[in-house]
C-alpha cells in the first residue's frame, strides 16, 4: 500500500454518491453491523435517495456470508485466489478475453458482468477486509487491488478503503505516520525510525525470536498469533497494559489495568475513512484505575530517570 | 434517576458510529439506543468477565500473580524495557490517540519496535 498510494474518500461521500459498492473479503453484516445502514448500502444519500435501490452491491468471498446473500453479484472466489481474480478483472478491463471457463473458481461471465458493472458505475467504492489481508499474498494483493482501482479510474470514479476491525487501528497509523513517516512496523533500534515489513513487523520478529521484552497494549496476540510467535511470547518477559483478562494476560509478568477509552475516559479516534472523532466519557472508571495516557506518562518519566 | 448521554461515539468497531445514546443510572450503564447488537452488548458488558482494577506482578510465569501498586508495576515495566536489547511495543488499536502518542515516544526513547494489528 505504501508502494503505490491509494485513492481515499470519506464514508459520507460513499453514502451520498456511491452507486456501486464492492465488499471484498469482509462481512459487514456481522463485523460492522451498521456500516451498510449508515454509510454504504441502505443509507439514503444526497444523490442516492432511494438507498439500496440506487446501488449495486458486489461481494467477493469464498463463503456464502449474510452479506453475500443480499448482494446483486457474488463472486465466490476460491480461498487464497484473490490475486488471480483481481488480475483477471484487470485483464478484462483492458479488453483482453479470458480463454478459460473459470478464474479462481469464478465463472468468467460473472467476472465480465462484474467488470461491466464497475465500468458503468458513476462512483464505485471497494471495501476490503481481513479475508484479503490474511489470504496468501497479503499486501501484494492489496497492491494489485489498488492497481485495479487505478485502472477503473480511467472510466469512472472509484475508491477503496480497508474495513478496520478495532476502533482506532487507523488512529495508530495516523499518529505513527506523523511522528515517524511510517504507518506501522517501525524500528527505533538504530536511533532513527526504520520501516521494513517482514523484517520489522511483529509476527516475523517473534517467530525469529529477536525481541526480548514485549509490552502489549490493549490487544490479544496470545489468541490470534501463529503458534510459533505465541511460543516466543511465552518465553520472554511480557507487560500488559489492558483492562481485561485475556489469553495474553495469562502469559504476562506484569498487568497494568487502565480505564476503558470511549466509556470511562475520552480521547480521539480515527474512523476507518480517516475522520477523527472525539470519544466521550460516559461513566467513571473503577476507583483508583489510571488511564492509558497517565500510565505511559509516568512510565516515560521513570524511563528518563533510568537512562 | 436515569440520565441519558447523547451523541456518544461507539468504540467497538472501525465504523465509530457517533449517534449512540447511553442510559446511565447511579454511575452504571443500563441501556443504549441506536447501537447495533455488538455495540449494545459491549456497552452493557464492557467490563467483561474479568476486569482488572489493580496492577498485578509475578517474577516467574509459573507463579501466581501478586497484587501491587501502580508505582511498582510501572517502575518494574520501565526497568524491563530499559534493560531490554530489543523491546517490542505492540497493540495500540483500542486506545485513544493521545495515549498512542505517549507510548510511541517511549518506543523512540528505548529504541523499540513499535507495531500494531494492521498489516495494511
Ligand atoms: S454501533 Fe455497531 S457498527 Fe457502530 S461502531 Fe458500534 S459496533 Fe460498530
Amino acid at each position: 500500500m505504501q508502494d503505490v498510494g491509494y485513492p481515499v474518500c470519506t464514508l459520507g461521500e460513499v453514502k451520498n454518491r456511491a452507486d456501486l459498492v464492492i465488499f471484498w473479503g469482509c462481512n459487514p453484516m456481522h463485523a460492522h453491523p451498521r456500516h451498510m445502514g449508515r454509510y454504504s448500502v441502505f443509507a439514503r444519500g444526497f444523490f442516492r435517495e432511494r438507498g439500496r435501490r440506487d446501488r449495486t452491491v458486489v461481494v467477493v468471498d469464498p463463503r456464502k456470508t449474510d452479506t453475500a446473500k443480499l448482494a446483486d453479484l457474488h463472486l465466490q472466489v476460491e480461498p487464497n485466489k484473490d490475486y488471480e481474480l483481481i488480475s483477471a478483472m484487470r485483464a478484462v478491463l483492458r479488453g483482453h478475453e479470458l480463454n478459460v471457463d473459470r478464474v479462481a473458481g469464478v465463472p468468467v461471465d460473472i467476472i465480465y458482468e462484474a467488470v461491466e458493472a464497475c465500468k458503468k458505475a458513476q462512483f464505485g467504492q471497494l471495501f476490503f477486509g481481513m479475508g484479503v489481508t490474511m489470504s496468501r499474498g497479503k499486501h501484494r494483493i492489496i497492491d494489485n487491488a489498488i492497481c485495479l482501482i487505478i485502472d477503473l479510474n480511467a472510466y469512472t470514479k472509484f475508491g477503496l478503503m480497508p474495513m478496520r476491525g478495532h476502533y482506532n487501528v487507523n488512529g495508530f497509523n495516523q499518529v505513527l505516520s506523523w511522528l515517524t513517516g511510517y504507518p506501522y512496523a517501525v524500528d527505533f533500534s538504530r536511533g532513527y525510525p526504520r520501516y521494513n515489513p517482514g523484517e520489522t513487523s511483529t509476527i516475523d520478529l517473534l517467530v525469529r525470536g529477536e525481541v526480548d521484552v514485549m509490552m502489549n497494549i490493549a490487544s490479544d496476540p496470545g489468541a490470534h498469533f501463529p503458534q510459533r510467535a505465541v511460543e516466543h511470547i511465552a518465553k520472554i518477559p511480557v507487560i500488559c497494559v489492558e483492562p481485561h483478562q485475556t489469553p495474553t494476560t495469562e502469559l504476562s509478568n506484569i498487568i497494568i489495568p487502565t480505564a476503558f477509552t470511549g466509556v470511562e475516559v475520552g480521547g480521539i479516534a480515527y474512523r476507518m475513512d480517516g475522520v477523527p472523532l472525539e470519544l466521550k466519557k460516559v461513566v467513571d472508571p473503577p476507583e483508583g484505575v489510571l488511564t492509558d495516557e497517565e500510565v505511559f506518562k509516568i512510565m516515560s518519566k521513570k524511563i528518563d530517570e533510568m537512562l | 434517576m436515569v440520565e441519558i448521554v447523547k451523541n456518544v461515539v461507539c468504540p467497538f468497531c472501525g465504523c465509530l458510529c457517533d449517534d449512540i445514546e447511553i442510559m446511565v443510572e447511579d454511575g452504571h450503564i443500563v441501556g443504549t439506543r441506536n447501537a447495533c447488537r455488538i455495540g449494545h452488548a459491549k456497552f452493557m458488558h464492557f467490563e467483561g468477565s474479568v476486569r482488572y482494577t489493580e496492577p498485578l506482578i509475578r517474577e516467574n510465569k509459573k507463579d501466581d500473580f501478586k497484587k501491587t501498586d501502580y508505582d511498582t508495576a510501572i517502575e518494574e515495566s520501565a526497568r524491563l524495557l530499559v534493560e531490554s536489547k530489543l523491546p517490542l511495543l505492540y497493540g495500540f488499536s483500542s486506545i485513544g490517540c493521545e495515549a498512542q502518542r505517549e507510548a510511541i515516544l517511549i518506543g523512540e526513547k528505548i529504541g523499540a519496535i513499535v507495531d500494531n494489528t494492521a498489516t495494511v
Side-chain angles (χ1 to χ4, degrees), chain A residues 34 38 133 167-168 185-186 188 202 212-213 215 217 233 236 243-245 250-253 255 257 264 268 280 300, chain B residues 6 11 18-19 34 46 50-52 56 58-59 61 70-71 84-85 88 90 92-93 95 97 109 112 114-115 120:
Chain A
R34 291 182 75 206
R38 259 168 81 83
T133 51
Y167 76 88
N168 206 14
V186 167
F188 282 110
T202 298
D212 56 357
V213 172
M215 177 154 77
I217 302 158
I233 296 177
I236 59 176
H244 297 132
Q245 184 175 36
E250 296 298 306
L251 294 173
S252 65
N253 298 76
I255 299 170
E264 297 170 343
I268 300 290
K280 276 199 181 162
S300 196
Chain B
K6 292 198 171 160
D18 52 4
D19 60 345
N34 295 341
F46 72 96
V50 181
R51 168 79 188 259
Y52 300 112
L56 301 173
R58 62 183 171 187
E59 186 106 2
K61 294 196 189 191
Y70 272 100
D71 200 64
S84 156
K85 277 209 191 74
L88 166 65
Y90 176 83
F92 297 92
S93 302
I95 61 173
C97 290
K109 277 183 209 173
V114 180
D115 194 10
V120 291

Short mmCIF file of all heavy atoms in Angstrom, two decimals, chain A residues 34 38 133 167-168 185-186 188 202 212-213 215 217 233 236 243-245 250-253 255 257 264 268 280 300, chain B residues 6 11 18-19 34 46 50-52 56 58-59 61 70-71 84-85 88 90 92-93 95 97 109 112 114-115 120:
data_model
loop_
_atom_site.label_atom_id
_atom_site.label_comp_id
_atom_site.label_asym_id
_atom_site.label_seq_id
_atom_site.Cartn_x
_atom_site.Cartn_y
_atom_site.Cartn_z
N ARG A 34 -23.59 -1.77 11.40
CA ARG A 34 -24.30 -0.57 10.94
C ARG A 34 -23.65 0.07 9.72
O ARG A 34 -24.10 1.11 9.24
CB ARG A 34 -24.40 0.45 12.08
CG ARG A 34 -25.33 -0.04 13.19
CD ARG A 34 -25.46 0.97 14.28
NE ARG A 34 -26.30 2.10 13.93
CZ ARG A 34 -26.19 3.31 14.47
NH1 ARG A 34 -25.25 3.54 15.36
NH2 ARG A 34 -26.99 4.29 14.12
N ARG A 38 -25.73 2.82 7.67
CA ARG A 38 -25.38 4.22 7.86
C ARG A 38 -24.64 4.83 6.68
O ARG A 38 -24.77 6.02 6.40
CB ARG A 38 -24.48 4.35 9.10
CG ARG A 38 -25.20 4.84 10.33
CD ARG A 38 -24.31 4.66 11.53
NE ARG A 38 -23.32 5.74 11.66
CZ ARG A 38 -23.58 6.91 12.23
NH1 ARG A 38 -24.76 7.18 12.68
NH2 ARG A 38 -22.62 7.82 12.34
N THR A 133 -6.52 -9.33 3.50
CA THR A 133 -5.21 -9.07 4.09
C THR A 133 -4.61 -10.31 4.72
O THR A 133 -3.41 -10.39 4.92
CB THR A 133 -5.29 -7.95 5.15
OG1 THR A 133 -6.34 -8.28 6.07
CG2 THR A 133 -5.61 -6.64 4.52
N TYR A 167 -11.44 -0.19 16.83
CA TYR A 167 -11.94 1.15 16.51
C TYR A 167 -10.85 2.15 16.17
O TYR A 167 -11.08 3.11 15.46
CB TYR A 167 -12.84 1.67 17.63
CG TYR A 167 -12.12 2.13 18.87
CD1 TYR A 167 -11.65 3.43 18.98
CD2 TYR A 167 -11.90 1.26 19.93
CE1 TYR A 167 -11.00 3.86 20.12
CE2 TYR A 167 -11.24 1.67 21.07
CZ TYR A 167 -10.79 2.97 21.15
OH TYR A 167 -10.12 3.39 22.27
N ASN A 168 -9.63 1.97 16.69
CA ASN A 168 -8.63 3.01 16.44
C ASN A 168 -7.34 2.46 15.81
O ASN A 168 -6.27 2.97 16.05
CB ASN A 168 -8.32 3.76 17.74
CG ASN A 168 -7.82 5.17 17.47
OD1 ASN A 168 -7.95 5.68 16.35
ND2 ASN A 168 -7.24 5.80 18.48
N ALA A 185 4.96 -1.06 12.09
CA ALA A 185 6.21 -1.81 11.99
C ALA A 185 7.44 -0.89 11.93
O ALA A 185 8.27 -1.00 11.05
CB ALA A 185 6.20 -2.74 10.77
N VAL A 186 7.52 0.03 12.89
CA VAL A 186 8.65 0.96 12.92
C VAL A 186 9.70 0.46 13.92
O VAL A 186 9.38 0.04 15.02
CB VAL A 186 8.18 2.38 13.30
CG1 VAL A 186 9.36 3.27 13.65
CG2 VAL A 186 7.40 2.99 12.14
N PHE A 188 12.96 1.51 16.02
CA PHE A 188 13.75 2.64 16.51
C PHE A 188 15.13 2.21 16.99
O PHE A 188 15.86 3.01 17.56
CB PHE A 188 13.03 3.30 17.70
CG PHE A 188 11.88 4.19 17.34
CD1 PHE A 188 10.58 3.82 17.63
CD2 PHE A 188 12.08 5.43 16.72
CE1 PHE A 188 9.51 4.64 17.32
CE2 PHE A 188 11.02 6.26 16.41
CZ PHE A 188 9.73 5.86 16.71
N THR A 202 5.90 -7.37 13.73
CA THR A 202 5.81 -8.13 14.97
C THR A 202 5.92 -9.64 14.81
O THR A 202 6.75 -10.29 15.45
CB THR A 202 4.49 -7.77 15.68
OG1 THR A 202 4.53 -6.38 15.98
CG2 THR A 202 4.31 -8.57 16.95
N ASP A 212 13.20 -9.30 23.01
CA ASP A 212 13.41 -9.95 24.30
C ASP A 212 12.50 -9.44 25.42
O ASP A 212 12.54 -9.97 26.53
CB ASP A 212 14.89 -9.89 24.71
CG ASP A 212 15.40 -8.46 24.76
OD1 ASP A 212 14.63 -7.55 24.41
OD2 ASP A 212 16.56 -8.27 25.14
N VAL A 213 11.70 -8.41 25.14
CA VAL A 213 10.66 -7.97 26.08
C VAL A 213 9.50 -7.49 25.22
O VAL A 213 9.71 -6.89 24.17
CB VAL A 213 11.13 -6.80 26.98
CG1 VAL A 213 9.96 -6.25 27.78
CG2 VAL A 213 12.23 -7.24 27.93
N MET A 215 5.85 -5.30 25.36
CA MET A 215 4.78 -4.58 26.06
C MET A 215 3.58 -4.59 25.14
O MET A 215 3.61 -4.08 24.03
CB MET A 215 5.16 -3.14 26.42
CG MET A 215 3.99 -2.40 27.08
SD MET A 215 4.49 -1.06 28.18
CE MET A 215 4.90 0.21 27.01
N ILE A 217 -0.23 -3.64 24.37
CA ILE A 217 -1.13 -2.58 24.76
C ILE A 217 -2.53 -2.84 24.22
O ILE A 217 -2.77 -2.74 23.01
CB ILE A 217 -0.60 -1.22 24.24
CG1 ILE A 217 0.81 -0.97 24.81
CG2 ILE A 217 -1.54 -0.09 24.62
CD1 ILE A 217 1.62 0.00 24.01
N ILE A 233 6.42 -15.47 22.81
CA ILE A 233 5.81 -14.59 23.81
C ILE A 233 5.84 -15.26 25.18
O ILE A 233 6.10 -14.63 26.21
CB ILE A 233 4.35 -14.24 23.43
CG1 ILE A 233 4.32 -13.43 22.13
CG2 ILE A 233 3.67 -13.44 24.55
CD1 ILE A 233 2.94 -13.09 21.62
N ILE A 236 9.49 -14.81 26.87
CA ILE A 236 10.10 -13.54 27.25
C ILE A 236 9.23 -12.79 28.26
O ILE A 236 8.03 -13.06 28.37
CB ILE A 236 10.34 -12.64 26.00
CG1 ILE A 236 9.01 -12.36 25.29
CG2 ILE A 236 11.34 -13.28 25.06
CD1 ILE A 236 9.11 -11.41 24.12
N PRO A 243 -7.34 -3.54 30.20
CA PRO A 243 -8.37 -3.57 31.25
C PRO A 243 -8.88 -4.97 31.61
O PRO A 243 -9.39 -5.19 32.69
CB PRO A 243 -9.52 -2.74 30.67
CG PRO A 243 -9.09 -2.25 29.33
CD PRO A 243 -7.84 -2.96 28.96
N HIS A 244 -8.76 -5.92 30.67
CA HIS A 244 -9.43 -7.22 30.86
C HIS A 244 -8.46 -8.39 30.95
O HIS A 244 -7.33 -8.32 30.48
CB HIS A 244 -10.34 -7.51 29.66
CG HIS A 244 -11.44 -6.55 29.51
ND1 HIS A 244 -11.73 -5.96 28.30
CD2 HIS A 244 -12.32 -6.04 30.40
CE1 HIS A 244 -12.74 -5.14 28.47
NE2 HIS A 244 -13.12 -5.17 29.73
N GLN A 245 -8.99 -9.49 31.45
CA GLN A 245 -8.25 -10.75 31.38
C GLN A 245 -8.37 -11.31 29.96
O GLN A 245 -9.46 -11.37 29.40
CB GLN A 245 -8.85 -11.74 32.36
CG GLN A 245 -8.06 -13.03 32.41
CD GLN A 245 -8.59 -13.96 33.48
OE1 GLN A 245 -9.79 -14.04 33.72
NE2 GLN A 245 -7.69 -14.67 34.13
N GLU A 250 -2.61 -13.93 30.56
CA GLU A 250 -2.21 -15.18 31.20
C GLU A 250 -0.72 -15.48 30.98
O GLU A 250 -0.11 -16.23 31.72
CB GLU A 250 -3.03 -16.35 30.66
CG GLU A 250 -4.52 -16.26 30.96
CD GLU A 250 -4.81 -16.27 32.45
OE1 GLU A 250 -4.34 -17.22 33.10
OE2 GLU A 250 -5.46 -15.34 32.95
N LEU A 251 -0.16 -14.93 29.90
CA LEU A 251 1.25 -15.18 29.59
C LEU A 251 2.16 -14.07 30.09
O LEU A 251 3.34 -14.04 29.78
CB LEU A 251 1.44 -15.27 28.06
CG LEU A 251 0.78 -16.42 27.31
CD1 LEU A 251 0.94 -16.21 25.81
CD2 LEU A 251 1.40 -17.73 27.73
N SER A 252 1.60 -13.12 30.87
CA SER A 252 2.39 -11.93 31.16
C SER A 252 3.00 -11.98 32.55
O SER A 252 2.66 -12.81 33.38
CB SER A 252 1.52 -10.68 31.00
OG SER A 252 0.52 -10.71 31.97
N ASN A 253 3.94 -11.05 32.78
CA ASN A 253 4.58 -10.92 34.08
C ASN A 253 4.02 -9.73 34.85
O ASN A 253 3.99 -9.74 36.07
CB ASN A 253 6.08 -10.70 33.92
CG ASN A 253 6.74 -11.88 33.27
OD1 ASN A 253 6.62 -12.05 32.05
ND2 ASN A 253 7.40 -12.71 34.04
N ILE A 255 0.74 -6.88 34.82
CA ILE A 255 -0.52 -6.41 34.24
C ILE A 255 -0.82 -5.04 34.81
O ILE A 255 -0.90 -4.87 36.03
CB ILE A 255 -1.68 -7.37 34.55
CG1 ILE A 255 -1.39 -8.76 33.96
CG2 ILE A 255 -2.99 -6.82 33.97
CD1 ILE A 255 -2.37 -9.83 34.42
N PRO A 257 -3.68 -2.40 34.70
CA PRO A 257 -5.03 -2.13 34.22
C PRO A 257 -5.24 -0.64 33.95
O PRO A 257 -4.64 0.20 34.62
CB PRO A 257 -5.92 -2.60 35.37
CG PRO A 257 -5.07 -2.63 36.57
CD PRO A 257 -3.64 -2.68 36.14
N GLU A 264 -14.98 5.13 29.80
CA GLU A 264 -14.59 5.68 31.10
C GLU A 264 -13.64 6.86 30.99
O GLU A 264 -13.34 7.51 31.98
CB GLU A 264 -13.92 4.58 31.93
CG GLU A 264 -14.86 3.44 32.24
CD GLU A 264 -14.15 2.25 32.83
OE1 GLU A 264 -12.90 2.17 32.72
OE2 GLU A 264 -14.83 1.39 33.39
N ILE A 268 -9.32 10.85 21.33
CA ILE A 268 -9.57 10.98 19.89
C ILE A 268 -9.36 9.63 19.22
O ILE A 268 -8.45 8.89 19.56
CB ILE A 268 -8.59 12.00 19.26
CG1 ILE A 268 -8.74 13.38 19.90
CG2 ILE A 268 -8.77 12.08 17.75
CD1 ILE A 268 -10.03 14.08 19.56
N LYS A 280 -16.29 9.87 24.05
CA LYS A 280 -16.79 10.50 25.27
C LYS A 280 -16.54 9.65 26.50
O LYS A 280 -16.49 8.43 26.42
CB LYS A 280 -18.30 10.70 25.15
CG LYS A 280 -18.65 11.95 24.41
CD LYS A 280 -20.07 12.37 24.68
CE LYS A 280 -20.34 13.63 23.86
NZ LYS A 280 -21.72 13.91 23.69
N SER A 300 7.15 7.03 31.09
CA SER A 300 8.10 7.84 30.33
C SER A 300 9.05 8.56 31.28
O SER A 300 10.27 8.59 31.06
CB SER A 300 7.30 8.83 29.49
OG SER A 300 8.09 9.37 28.49
N LYS B 6 -26.05 11.79 25.23
CA LYS B 6 -26.30 11.74 23.78
C LYS B 6 -25.02 11.85 22.96
O LYS B 6 -23.99 12.30 23.47
CB LYS B 6 -27.25 12.87 23.39
CG LYS B 6 -28.64 12.64 23.95
CD LYS B 6 -29.66 13.49 23.23
CE LYS B 6 -31.04 13.03 23.71
NZ LYS B 6 -32.07 14.00 23.48
N PRO B 11 -17.02 2.82 20.70
CA PRO B 11 -15.63 2.40 20.50
C PRO B 11 -15.49 0.89 20.29
O PRO B 11 -14.58 0.28 20.82
CB PRO B 11 -14.97 2.83 21.80
CG PRO B 11 -16.03 2.65 22.83
CD PRO B 11 -17.35 2.84 22.14
N ASP B 18 -21.51 7.62 15.65
CA ASP B 18 -21.40 8.74 16.59
C ASP B 18 -22.77 9.24 17.04
O ASP B 18 -22.92 10.39 17.44
CB ASP B 18 -20.60 9.87 15.95
CG ASP B 18 -21.14 10.25 14.57
OD1 ASP B 18 -22.16 9.68 14.18
OD2 ASP B 18 -20.53 11.10 13.91
N ASP B 19 -23.78 8.37 16.96
CA ASP B 19 -25.13 8.81 17.32
C ASP B 19 -25.71 7.98 18.45
O ASP B 19 -26.91 7.87 18.60
CB ASP B 19 -26.04 8.70 16.09
CG ASP B 19 -26.11 7.25 15.58
OD1 ASP B 19 -25.26 6.44 15.99
OD2 ASP B 19 -27.01 6.94 14.79
N ASN B 34 -29.72 3.17 19.49
CA ASN B 34 -29.08 3.30 18.17
C ASN B 34 -27.90 2.35 17.93
O ASN B 34 -27.50 2.15 16.79
CB ASN B 34 -28.59 4.73 17.88
CG ASN B 34 -29.74 5.72 17.79
OD1 ASN B 34 -30.88 5.30 17.59
ND2 ASN B 34 -29.46 6.99 17.93
N PHE B 46 -19.16 -3.96 29.05
CA PHE B 46 -17.80 -3.63 28.63
C PHE B 46 -16.78 -4.03 29.69
O PHE B 46 -15.60 -4.15 29.41
CB PHE B 46 -17.68 -2.14 28.30
CG PHE B 46 -17.72 -1.26 29.51
CD1 PHE B 46 -16.53 -0.83 30.09
CD2 PHE B 46 -18.92 -0.87 30.08
CE1 PHE B 46 -16.55 -0.02 31.21
CE2 PHE B 46 -18.94 -0.07 31.20
CZ PHE B 46 -17.75 0.36 31.77
N VAL B 50 -13.74 -10.79 33.46
CA VAL B 50 -12.76 -10.44 34.50
C VAL B 50 -12.12 -9.10 34.15
O VAL B 50 -11.45 -8.95 33.15
CB VAL B 50 -11.66 -11.52 34.63
CG1 VAL B 50 -10.69 -11.13 35.73
CG2 VAL B 50 -12.28 -12.87 34.91
N ARG B 51 -12.37 -8.14 35.00
CA ARG B 51 -11.81 -6.81 34.81
C ARG B 51 -10.76 -6.59 35.88
O ARG B 51 -11.01 -6.82 37.07
CB ARG B 51 -12.94 -5.78 34.96
CG ARG B 51 -12.49 -4.34 35.06
CD ARG B 51 -12.17 -3.80 33.71
NE ARG B 51 -11.56 -2.49 33.80
CZ ARG B 51 -12.21 -1.35 33.58
NH1 ARG B 51 -13.49 -1.37 33.30
NH2 ARG B 51 -11.58 -0.20 33.66
N TYR B 52 -9.57 -6.16 35.47
CA TYR B 52 -8.54 -5.86 36.47
C TYR B 52 -8.74 -4.47 37.03
O TYR B 52 -9.03 -3.54 36.29
CB TYR B 52 -7.14 -5.94 35.85
CG TYR B 52 -6.80 -7.28 35.29
CD1 TYR B 52 -6.65 -7.46 33.92
CD2 TYR B 52 -6.62 -8.37 36.12
CE1 TYR B 52 -6.32 -8.69 33.39
CE2 TYR B 52 -6.30 -9.61 35.60
CZ TYR B 52 -6.15 -9.76 34.23
OH TYR B 52 -5.83 -10.98 33.73
N LEU B 56 -0.98 -6.17 38.70
CA LEU B 56 -0.53 -7.47 39.18
C LEU B 56 0.89 -7.72 38.68
O LEU B 56 1.28 -7.22 37.62
CB LEU B 56 -1.43 -8.58 38.64
CG LEU B 56 -2.92 -8.49 38.99
CD1 LEU B 56 -3.69 -9.56 38.24
CD2 LEU B 56 -3.12 -8.63 40.49
N ARG B 58 4.37 -10.74 38.71
CA ARG B 58 4.99 -12.01 39.12
C ARG B 58 6.34 -12.11 38.41
O ARG B 58 6.51 -11.65 37.29
CB ARG B 58 4.11 -13.21 38.76
CG ARG B 58 3.86 -13.36 37.27
CD ARG B 58 2.93 -14.51 36.98
NE ARG B 58 2.55 -14.52 35.58
CZ ARG B 58 1.64 -15.33 35.07
NH1 ARG B 58 0.99 -16.19 35.82
NH2 ARG B 58 1.36 -15.28 33.77
N GLU B 59 7.28 -12.71 39.12
CA GLU B 59 8.63 -12.84 38.57
C GLU B 59 8.63 -13.93 37.51
O GLU B 59 9.07 -13.74 36.39
CB GLU B 59 9.58 -13.20 39.71
CG GLU B 59 11.02 -13.23 39.30
CD GLU B 59 11.77 -12.01 39.85
OE1 GLU B 59 11.19 -11.18 40.58
OE2 GLU B 59 12.94 -11.91 39.54
N LYS B 61 6.62 -16.88 35.24
CA LYS B 61 5.29 -17.07 34.66
C LYS B 61 4.55 -18.28 35.23
O LYS B 61 3.36 -18.44 35.00
CB LYS B 61 5.40 -17.20 33.15
CG LYS B 61 5.88 -15.92 32.49
CD LYS B 61 5.63 -15.92 31.01
CE LYS B 61 6.35 -14.71 30.40
NZ LYS B 61 5.97 -14.48 29.02
N TYR B 70 0.41 0.86 41.38
CA TYR B 70 0.79 1.37 40.07
C TYR B 70 2.27 1.74 40.01
O TYR B 70 2.95 1.47 39.03
CB TYR B 70 -0.07 2.58 39.70
CG TYR B 70 -1.35 2.20 38.99
CD1 TYR B 70 -2.55 2.15 39.68
CD2 TYR B 70 -1.35 1.90 37.64
CE1 TYR B 70 -3.73 1.80 39.04
CE2 TYR B 70 -2.52 1.55 36.99
CZ TYR B 70 -3.71 1.50 37.69
OH TYR B 70 -4.86 1.15 37.04
N ASP B 71 2.74 2.39 41.09
CA ASP B 71 4.11 2.87 41.06
C ASP B 71 5.10 1.71 40.85
O ASP B 71 5.98 1.79 39.99
CB ASP B 71 4.42 3.61 42.37
CG ASP B 71 5.61 4.53 42.19
OD1 ASP B 71 5.49 5.46 41.37
OD2 ASP B 71 6.66 4.27 42.81
N SER B 84 16.16 -4.11 28.25
CA SER B 84 15.98 -4.99 27.09
C SER B 84 16.89 -4.57 25.93
O SER B 84 17.18 -3.39 25.73
CB SER B 84 14.53 -4.94 26.65
OG SER B 84 14.41 -5.28 25.30
N LYS B 85 17.34 -5.58 25.15
CA LYS B 85 18.14 -5.27 23.95
C LYS B 85 17.25 -4.80 22.82
O LYS B 85 17.55 -3.85 22.11
CB LYS B 85 18.89 -6.53 23.50
CG LYS B 85 20.18 -6.78 24.24
CD LYS B 85 21.15 -7.54 23.31
CE LYS B 85 22.34 -8.05 24.09
NZ LYS B 85 21.99 -9.23 24.95
N LEU B 88 9.65 -4.79 22.23
CA LEU B 88 8.58 -4.68 21.24
C LEU B 88 7.36 -4.04 21.91
O LEU B 88 6.91 -4.51 22.95
CB LEU B 88 8.21 -6.09 20.74
CG LEU B 88 6.91 -6.26 19.97
CD1 LEU B 88 6.94 -5.51 18.65
CD2 LEU B 88 6.64 -7.74 19.71
N TYR B 90 3.53 -3.39 21.20
CA TYR B 90 2.59 -3.90 20.22
C TYR B 90 1.15 -3.68 20.67
O TYR B 90 0.85 -3.75 21.86
CB TYR B 90 2.81 -5.41 20.01
CG TYR B 90 1.78 -6.02 19.09
CD1 TYR B 90 1.95 -5.93 17.71
CD2 TYR B 90 0.64 -6.60 19.59
CE1 TYR B 90 0.99 -6.43 16.86
CE2 TYR B 90 -0.34 -7.11 18.74
CZ TYR B 90 -0.15 -7.02 17.38
OH TYR B 90 -1.11 -7.50 16.55
N PHE B 92 -2.06 -1.12 20.49
CA PHE B 92 -2.40 0.28 20.21
C PHE B 92 -3.76 0.50 19.57
O PHE B 92 -4.18 1.64 19.41
CB PHE B 92 -1.37 0.93 19.26
CG PHE B 92 0.03 1.03 19.79
CD1 PHE B 92 0.95 0.04 19.53
CD2 PHE B 92 0.40 2.13 20.54
CE1 PHE B 92 2.25 0.14 20.01
CE2 PHE B 92 1.70 2.25 21.01
CZ PHE B 92 2.63 1.25 20.74
N SER B 93 -4.44 -0.56 19.11
CA SER B 93 -5.61 -0.33 18.26
C SER B 93 -6.87 0.00 19.05
O SER B 93 -7.86 0.42 18.48
CB SER B 93 -5.86 -1.55 17.38
OG SER B 93 -4.71 -1.79 16.61
N ILE B 95 -6.88 2.06 21.97
CA ILE B 95 -6.67 3.17 22.91
C ILE B 95 -6.75 4.47 22.12
O ILE B 95 -6.70 4.46 20.89
CB ILE B 95 -5.32 3.08 23.66
CG1 ILE B 95 -4.13 3.13 22.68
CG2 ILE B 95 -5.25 1.81 24.49
CD1 ILE B 95 -2.77 3.22 23.37
N CYS B 97 -5.76 8.33 20.67
CA CYS B 97 -4.55 8.82 20.00
C CYS B 97 -3.58 9.48 20.96
O CYS B 97 -2.36 9.42 20.77
CB CYS B 97 -4.93 9.83 18.91
SG CYS B 97 -5.75 9.05 17.52
N LYS B 109 12.45 6.50 22.73
CA LYS B 109 13.49 6.65 23.76
C LYS B 109 14.28 5.36 23.98
O LYS B 109 15.49 5.40 24.17
CB LYS B 109 12.84 7.01 25.11
CG LYS B 109 12.55 8.46 25.27
CD LYS B 109 11.99 8.73 26.66
CE LYS B 109 11.08 9.93 26.56
NZ LYS B 109 10.34 10.18 27.79
N ALA B 112 12.80 0.87 20.54
CA ALA B 112 11.94 -0.30 20.43
C ALA B 112 11.39 -0.48 19.02
O ALA B 112 11.52 0.39 18.17
CB ALA B 112 10.78 -0.17 21.41
N VAL B 114 7.85 -0.65 17.21
CA VAL B 114 6.50 -0.16 17.51
C VAL B 114 5.59 -0.62 16.39
O VAL B 114 5.82 -0.27 15.22
CB VAL B 114 6.50 1.38 17.63
CG1 VAL B 114 5.11 1.87 17.94
CG2 VAL B 114 7.47 1.83 18.71
N ASP B 115 4.56 -1.42 16.74
CA ASP B 115 3.76 -2.02 15.66
C ASP B 115 2.34 -2.27 16.14
O ASP B 115 2.08 -2.34 17.35
CB ASP B 115 4.43 -3.36 15.26
CG ASP B 115 3.88 -3.89 13.93
OD1 ASP B 115 3.16 -3.17 13.23
OD2 ASP B 115 4.22 -5.05 13.61
N VAL B 120 -2.09 -3.58 6.82
CA VAL B 120 -2.36 -2.76 5.63
C VAL B 120 -2.44 -1.29 5.99
O VAL B 120 -2.64 -0.97 7.13
CB VAL B 120 -3.69 -3.17 4.95
CG1 VAL B 120 -3.54 -4.53 4.35
CG2 VAL B 120 -4.83 -3.13 5.92
#
